[in-house]
């Protein structure tokens, strides 16, 4: 893909909501956002009384007009900073397992089966369609260890128009013989093949970017981590991995890498703890590790639904934020059960309340904060904050249209009562947004755009 084709100047009129800061949600009831033929925001107008006057002011002749529904609004597309596309068929299946037995029982067998390209294509197509329908406009994906199937995921994202980071999963240790890289050098060769494939289909990475992906320290030899660290320095490509997710995993890292002072130090010593690194989970980081991560400006993907499902633990997000660490949200399918970033935001709010029960009220994350993490925070995690995450002039139009009124399928927020009492629409705008965060789902997501292109629409 070079340049978005077939776009017209478009004005998105009505209410819009977006984060301006961690604690600040701007709610504009009468807005008009002009998006140009390149899919970029050309103007943002507030307190609009006369739409024609706005159009004229900007010298636009006859733009396409898209109106937010009554009791609805435009919202930036969600950014899922950690999701395993390859595990999509297992979403919701984890029983009472915890991380290490879950990997053996459920995850490696499924990922291994994606050596079948027809199966991989079906799984990836469904995963991308589904996440788009939940308003995910950018996703940082793990694929599998298979280069060919990983390339299919890049093709699917490009074809369906989702902005994506695609990672071939590197794992040359501590995994079954039937599912692991045969050596560090074949792992890196295969990773280079996936980078070359993306260069051939989207050379400027307008939509698709490779992301180096050591699965996690226990499944990588020191040699593989070293080679990936070199590749990271050589290419400048982003990187993603897991860190400090559950206690037996920490013990395993200590056993496998006794010469390093901590889990974070293992990555640091291999040249992987950099501003381009996204670390998923970060539940049990010590204060020293947090300081190291902050010093290196590495980023954290908070995956609350997964941490609860696999009973991994409760990440201390407030502590991370207070130290100035950049945090976003991840669904972590299928450690997490849901493809929805809205669900991840809700779970982030709820987990923070569990933390507050022991650590005190300051731990609680507000609606404003979890919405920030799911958009602008995620954009910062992925190094995309100059492109997406909010509605500012010059950013690309990655957005979703939310309807809070009647949803045809009979939503939980719908005004289905035909009686004389208005059960919806009486709330303040802040309250409407809170109801969406705590009760909303994909039925409220009426349309989704990436780079100005409509990539999903509810009938
Ligand atoms: N650690 C290593 N691999 C995985 C994985 O697939 N999911 C999660 N949640 N943690 C991991
Ligand atoms: Fe994960």
């Amino acid at each position: 893909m070079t340049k978005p084709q077939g776009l017209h100047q478009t004005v998105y009129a009505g209410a819009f909501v977006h984060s301006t800061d961690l604690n600040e949600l701007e709610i504009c009831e009468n807005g008009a956002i002009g998006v140009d033929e390149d899919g970029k925001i050309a103007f943002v107008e507030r307190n609009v009384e006369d739409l024609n006057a706005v159009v004229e002011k900007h010298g636009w002749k006859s733009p396409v007009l898209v109106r937010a529904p009554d009791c609805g609004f435009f919202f930036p597309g969600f950014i899922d900073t950690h999701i395993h596309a390859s595990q999509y068929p297992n979403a919701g299946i984890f029983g009472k397992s915890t991380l290490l037995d879950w990997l053996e029982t459920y995850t490696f067998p499924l990922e291994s089966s994606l050596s079948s390209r027809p199966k991989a294509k079906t799984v990836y197509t469904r995963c991308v369609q589904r996440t788009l329908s939940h308003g995910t406009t950018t996703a940082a994906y793990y694929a599998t260890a298979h280069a060919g199937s990983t390339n299919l995921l890049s093709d699917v994202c490009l074809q369906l128009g989702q902005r994506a980071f695609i990672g071939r999963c590197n794992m040359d240790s501590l995994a079954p013989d039937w599912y692991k890289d045969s050596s560090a050098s074949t792992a890196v060769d295969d990773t280079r093949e996936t980078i070359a494939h993306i260069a051939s289909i989207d050379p400027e990475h307008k939509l698709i970017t490779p992301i180096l992906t050591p699965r996690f320290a226990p499944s990588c030899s020191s040699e593989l981590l070293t080679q990936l660290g070199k590749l990271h320095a050589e290419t400048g490509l982003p990187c993603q991995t897991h860190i400090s997710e559950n206690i037996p995993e920490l013990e395993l890292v200590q056993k496998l890498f006794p010469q390093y002072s901590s889990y974070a130090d293992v990555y640091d010593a291999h040249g992987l703890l950099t501003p381009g690194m996204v670390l998923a989970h970060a539940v049990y980081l010590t204060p020293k590790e947090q300081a190291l991560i902050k010093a290196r400006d590495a980023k954290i993907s908070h995956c609350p639904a997964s941490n609860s499902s696999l009973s991994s633990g409760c990440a201390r997000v407030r502590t991370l934020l207070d130290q100035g660490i950049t945090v976003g949200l991840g669904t972590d399918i299928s450690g997490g059960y849901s493809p929805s970033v809205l669900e991840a935001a809700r779970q982030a709010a709820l987990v923070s309340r569990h933390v507050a029960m022991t650590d005190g009220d300051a731990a609680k994350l507000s609606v404003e904060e979890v919405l920030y993490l799911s958009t602008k925070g995620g954009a910062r995690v992925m190094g995309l904050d100059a492109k997406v995450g909010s509605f500012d002039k010059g950013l690309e139009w990655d957005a979703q249209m939310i309807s809070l009124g009647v949803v045809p399928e009979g939503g939980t927020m719908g005004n289905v009562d035909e009686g004389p009492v208005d059960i919806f629409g009486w709330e303040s705008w802040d309250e409407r947004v809170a109801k969406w965060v705590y009760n909303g789902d994909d039925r409220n997501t009426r349309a989704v755009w990436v780079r100005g292109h409509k990539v999903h629409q509810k009938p």
Side-chain angles (χ1 to χ4, degrees):
M1 174 176 276
T2 48
K3 191 174 170 191
Q5 299 294 310
L7 285 178
H8 298 280
Q9 288 178 329
T10 305
V11 175
Y12 295 87
F16 69 81
V17 177
H18 70 154
S19 295
T20 54
D21 209 343
L22 177 63
N23 289 297
E24 290 275 333
L25 200 61
E26 180 186 10
I27 298 176
C28 173
E29 289 181 45
N30 288 304
I33 301 179
V35 175
D36 67 19
E37 297 96 327
D38 289 329
K40 285 197 173 148
I41 297 174
F43 61 81
V44 181
E45 295 284 349
R46 293 155 173 93
N47 307 315
V48 172
E49 281 170 14
D50 180 350
L51 203 52
N52 287 331
V54 166
V55 170
E56 232 167 76
K57 173 179 155 190
H58 290 281
W60 284 20
K61 292 284 175 279
S62 44
V64 174
L65 179 63
V66 180
R67 279 190 188 278
D70 289 345
C71 284
F73 54 90
F74 296 105
F75 191 77
F78 286 134
I79 297 177
D80 190 341
T81 59
H82 184 81
I83 169 169
H84 300 255
S86 50
Q87 297 172 17
Y88 178 69
N90 271 357
I93 304 175
F94 49 87
K96 290 186 176 177
S97 64
T98 54
L99 178 63
L100 300 177
D101 57 310
W102 169 80
L103 283 170
E104 298 272 343
T105 310
Y106 300 100
T107 306
F108 292 152
L110 172 60
E111 287 190 22
S112 162
S113 75
L114 267 61
S115 61
S116 155
R117 296 200 194 178
K119 179 167 178 180
K121 181 141 195 221
T122 304
V123 167
Y124 290 151
T125 302
R126 297 225 182 131
C127 176
V128 174
Q129 284 172 336
R130 185 91 187 277
T131 54
L132 282 173
S133 77
H134 283 270
T136 301
T137 50
T138 299
Y141 284 120
Y142 269 62
T144 62
H146 316 102
S149 299
T150 300
N151 292 342
L152 282 177
L153 177 56
S154 298
D155 295 344
V156 166
C157 290
L158 187 64
Q159 198 187 354
L160 296 178
Q162 189 174 56
R163 198 184 292 276
F165 294 82
I166 306 290
R168 191 198 76 88
C169 193
N170 286 270
M171 41 191 290
D172 69 342
S173 290
L174 222 69
D177 285 343
W178 40 266
Y179 184 53
K180 75 176 190 195
D181 292 311
S182 51
S183 71
S185 62
T186 61
V188 172
D189 288 348
D190 286 359
T191 296
R192 283 187 187 275
E193 186 186 325
T194 63
I195 296 169
H197 178 73
I198 292 172
S200 75
I201 61 169
D202 186 8
E204 293 172 58
H205 303 324
K206 292 202 163 171
L207 219 48
I208 314 296
T209 306
I211 184 163
L212 305 177
T213 305
R215 179 170 208 121
F216 67 156
S219 60
C220 295
S221 64
S222 189
E223 173 60 21
L224 179 52
L225 292 174
T226 301
Q227 290 202 28
L228 290 172
K230 283 188 180 150
L231 194 57
H232 185 41
E234 171 198 321
T235 59
L237 288 171
C239 201
Q240 60 182 353
T241 192
H242 299 88
I243 194 166
S244 209
E245 179 175 356
N246 102 340
I247 288 172
E249 174 209 17
L250 304 189
E251 292 166 354
L252 187 57
V253 171
Q254 244 173 12
K255 201 170 113 198
L256 293 168
F257 296 92
Q259 63 275 50
Y260 301 101
S261 64
S262 67
Y263 201 156
D265 188 38
V266 174
Y267 293 133
D268 193 42
H270 291 89
L272 289 164
L273 206 64
T274 71
M277 169 57 99
V278 182
L279 301 160
H281 300 285
V283 178
Y284 296 103
L285 294 177
T286 62
K288 228 172 142 184
E289 286 179 296
Q290 292 171 24
L292 180 61
I293 287 167
K294 168 64 185 158
R296 299 287 184 265
D297 196 22
K299 315 297 194 286
I300 287 177
S301 172
H302 174 45
C303 303
S306 170
N307 294 340
S308 297
S309 300
L310 298 183
S311 40
S312 299
C314 296
R316 264 54 188 176
V317 176
R318 175 68 64 213
T319 309
L320 300 172
L321 290 171
D322 281 350
Q323 296 188 53
I325 296 174
T326 304
V327 182
L329 294 182
T331 59
D332 193 28
I333 275 185
S334 63
Y337 53 84
S338 168
S340 160
V341 176
L342 188 66
E343 179 70 23
R346 181 181 306 145
Q347 290 301 323
L350 294 178
V351 166
S352 76
R353 279 154 180 73
H354 280 279
V355 174
M357 291 176 212
T358 54
D359 293 10
D361 267 6
K364 287 184 192 174
L365 296 175
S366 65
V367 162
E368 289 80 1
E369 288 174 317
V370 297
L371 288 177
Y372 172 91
L373 295 179
S374 66
T375 54
K376 215 171 161 70
R380 288 186 61 206
V381 165
M382 301 314 305
L384 288 176
D385 42 324
K387 274 195 178 171
V388 296
S390 56
F391 295 146
D392 296 308
K393 189 176 165 183
L395 299 198
E396 299 184 10
W397 183 247
D398 281 24
Q400 45 186 325
M401 188 168 78
I402 302 300
S403 172
L404 299 182
V406 178
V407 289
E409 301 89 341
T412 51
M413 305 170 76
N415 187 4
V416 291
D417 190 351
E418 294 291 337
V421 181
D422 232 358
I423 63 156
F424 187 80
W426 53 270
E427 311 88 338
S428 70
W429 268 95
D430 283 352
E431 290 168 337
R432 284 180 198 176
V433 173
K435 284 178 83 168
W436 175 53
V437 168
Y438 284 108
N439 290 295
D441 59 36
D442 56 321
R443 287 169 296 188
N444 303 104
T445 312
R446 307 311 298 175
V448 181
W449 294 265
V450 174
R451 300 187 76 228
H453 289 269
K454 194 187 281 175
V455 290
H456 174 75
Q457 174 148 39
K458 288 270 186 321

